[in-house]
Amino acid sequence: WRSFVGNIRNTTMPRIQVGDVFAVPLADHAFALAQCVFVSRHFRNCIACRVFERLFDSPTMPTAVPESFAFNPLFLGKQILNAGMWPIIGRLHGSVACPVFRVADGKSNGDEWIGDAGDEEVPELLAYGPVALQIELRRHFGIHEPTNNAVNGSRRSRGF
């Protein structure tokens, strides 16, 4: 048992970085791909990504990456990626524009505060949890709730 626990501690999972592309499982043979565009130093475990406007049948890096986005930016916690639950499948090289977003009444460009947002239309820093993100993406792509519990790695509650 101790050697097993020791092996777990000694394994390192890849950490999400700007430019990384990861796969979000939505149903059997249906994956959304997203690219990390920002990893915050100020908002613990928060990243911003852009989700490509196309579904893929496997969690592998495509030879041709779509040019349009379903969501840009979309904020989420990086824990599920750092734990390896959603695989990082590749990296797109080149410059990635850091998103400008609203935090309370202010406006930030990444971790840099720019000033008051006023009435300007700026995306809000509203971070999704992994299941909420999957639900939002299923709605967007017209996928019905999967019956396979392996998709989100959790058991369904039959609860109250």
Side-chain angles (χ1 to χ4, degrees):
W1 169 253
R2 288 180 188 208
S3 65
F4 175 73
V5 172
N7 288 338
I8 290 174
R9 280 193 209 132
N10 292 332
T11 55
T12 57
M13 299 308 288
R15 298 285 178 196
I16 188 78
Q17 300 174 29
V18 171
D20 285 350
V21 176
F22 58 93
V24 180
L26 301 178
D28 290 338
H29 305 291
F31 296 85
L33 298 187
Q35 181 187 22
C36 178
V37 296
F38 168 64
V39 178
S40 180
R41 292 183 318 266
H42 297 300
F43 300 103
R44 183 179 167 103
N45 292 320
C46 184
I47 66 169
C49 65
R50 52 188 184 182
V51 180
F52 295 103
E53 181 66 78
R54 184 173 153 226
L55 288 177
F56 295 85
D57 58 2
S58 67
T60 56
M61 190 71 174
T63 54
V65 178
E67 294 182 16
S68 60
F69 302 100
F71 297 93
N72 186 19
L74 191 141
F75 299 93
L76 68 143
K78 64 183 179 181
Q79 300 91 327
I80 196 156
L81 296 158
N82 288 342
M85 298 290 291
W86 293 354
I88 298 171
I89 59 170
R91 173 172 283 173
L92 293 175
H93 298 285
S95 65
V96 177
C98 191
V100 173
F101 55 89
R102 177 186 297 268
V103 179
D105 290 334
K107 184 170 60 170
S108 291
N109 183 357
D111 282 329
E112 181 183 334
W113 188 76
I114 298 172
D116 292 333
D119 293 335
E120 186 178 348
E121 288 291 321
V122 180
E124 287 193 48
L125 175 62
L126 174 63
Y128 285 83
V131 174
L133 175 59
Q134 288 175 311
I135 291 169
E136 185 67 26
L137 291 175
R138 285 184 194 116
R139 269 191 214 128
H140 176 79
F141 288 113
I143 297 173
H144 298 290
E145 187 71 23
T147 57
N148 181 349
N149 290 341
V151 168
N152 64 18
S154 65
R155 296 179 189 219
R156 291 191 188 275
S157 169
R158 304 238 187 250
F160 319 10

